[in-house]
C-alpha cells in the first residue's frame, strides 16, 4: 500500500511538473542592448515595444521592453546617451533574427525618441548563440522626420543561410535601416 501511495505521488508530481519543464524547453533567452542617441531631446518617457522576426516570418513580441529591464528599478530607461540592457525569455525562433520592429506609444512628457541601434543575442537549449545588430538610426516621433512612431529594420531579404556548422568565430549579423533620417 505504501509503494502504491508513493508511486501515485510520483506520478502526480510528474504530471504537474512535466508540462512546465516542456514549456520552458522551447524557450530562448533574448538579451537586448538599446543605444539611445546623443541628440538634444533624444530620450523618451514613452512605452517602447519590440518585435523580432526571422526570414520565415516567425516572431517574438515584447509589448513593453522596460518589463525586461535588468538595470534596476530606479534606472531611467531610454535617456539621452544611455545604453540600456534588457533580458527575457520567449519562444525560440530560427536564426538569424533579421527583422526588428521598434515602436513607441508616443506617451509621456517627452515622447520623441532617437534610437541609434539595438543589439540582440539569442540562445536556447541545444541552440547556438546568435547575435544581430540592428542599426536603427532613426527618430520615433510625430514631430521629427520621418514622423513615425515605428522603425522597421529588415535585413531578411539579404539572409543567405549556410549549412549549420556552429557559431564559433562567426561575426554578428548586421542590418542597417535604409530609411533612416538623422536630423535634430
Amino acid at each position: 500500500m505504501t509503494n502504491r501511495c508513493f508511486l501515485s505521488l510520483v506520478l502526480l508530481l510528474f504530471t504537474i511538473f512535466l508540462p512546465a519543464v516542456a514549456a520552458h524547453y522551447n524557450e530562448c533567452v533574448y538579451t537586448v542592448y538599446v543605444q539611445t542617441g546623443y541628440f538634444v531631446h533624444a530620450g523618451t518617457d514613452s512605452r517602447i515595444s519590440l518585435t523580432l522576426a526571422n526570414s520565415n516570418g516567425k516572431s517574438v513580441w515584447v509589448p513593453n521592453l522596460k518589463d525586461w529591464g535588468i538595470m534596476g528599478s530606479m534606472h531611467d530607461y531610454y535617456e539621452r546617451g544611455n545604453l540600456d540592457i534588457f533580458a527575457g525569455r520567449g519562444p525560440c525562433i530560427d536564426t538569424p533574427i533579421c527583422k526588428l520592429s521598434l515602436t513607441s506609444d508616443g506617451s509621456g512628457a517627452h515622447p520623441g525618441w532617437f534610437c541609434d541601434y539595438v543589439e540582440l543575442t539569442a540562445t536556447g537549449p541545444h541552440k547556438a548563440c546568435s547575435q544581430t545588430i540592428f542599426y536603427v538610426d532613426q527618430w520615433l516621433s510625430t514631430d521629427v522626420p520621418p514622423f513615425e512612431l515605428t522603425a522597421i529594420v529588415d535585413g531578411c531579404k539579404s539572409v543567405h543561410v549556410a549549412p549549420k556548422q556552429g557559431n564559433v568565430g562567426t561575426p554578428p549579423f548586421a542590418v542597417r535601416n535604409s530609411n533612416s533620417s538623422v536630423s535634430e
Side-chain angles (χ1 to χ4, degrees):
M1 186 70 168
T2 306
N3 285 342
R4 189 177 298 180
C5 241
F6 177 73
L7 183 59
S8 295
L9 179 62
V10 168
L11 287 174
L12 176 66
L13 290 174
F14 185 73
T15 57
I16 291 172
F17 291 112
L18 182 62
V21 171
H24 293 301
Y25 184 76
N26 198 30
E27 284 191 339
C28 283
V29 174
Y30 297 91
T31 306
V32 181
Y33 291 81
V34 176
Q35 177 68 59
T36 296
Y38 289 90
F39 295 114
V40 174
H41 303 295
T44 190
D45 297 323
S46 296
R47 172 181 274 193
I48 305 298
S49 63
L50 170 86
T51 303
L52 306 165
N54 64 16
S55 59
N56 297 327
K58 302 279 187 191
S59 64
V60 175
W61 178 52
V62 184
N64 185 1
L65 189 56
K66 195 173 178 182
D67 289 344
W68 279 17
I70 63 171
M71 300 184 73
S73 61
M74 299 304 291
H75 181 73
D76 199 4
Y77 290 94
Y78 317 118
E79 293 304 311
R80 179 181 179 193
N82 272 11
L83 178 62
D84 298 315
I85 307 169
F86 308 87
R89 288 193 324 206
C92 291
I93 60 175
D94 292 333
T95 58
I97 297 171
C98 52
K99 184 176 181 179
L100 166 78
S101 177
L102 196 60
T103 301
S104 168
D105 71 354
S107 67
H110 304 286
W113 179 50
F114 187 88
C115 180
D116 192 8
Y117 67 85
V118 173
E119 184 173 330
L120 167 74
T121 304
T123 191
H126 309 288
K127 296 194 181 294
C129 187
S130 168
Q131 185 179 24
T132 306
I133 302 172
F134 296 97
Y135 293 100
V136 179
D137 197 29
Q138 179 180 320
W139 283 97
L140 279 71
S141 175
T142 58
D143 58 357
V144 180
F147 307 106
E148 298 286 337
L149 290 175
T150 297
I152 297 173
V153 185
D154 188 352
C156 291
K157 291 177 180 71
S158 64
V159 173
H160 301 289
V161 180
K164 292 186 178 183
Q165 298 175 355
N167 210 19
V168 178
T170 303
F173 184 67
V175 183
R176 295 210 178 273
N177 186 348
S178 61
N179 298 325
S180 67
S181 66
V182 178
S183 62
E184 227 174 316

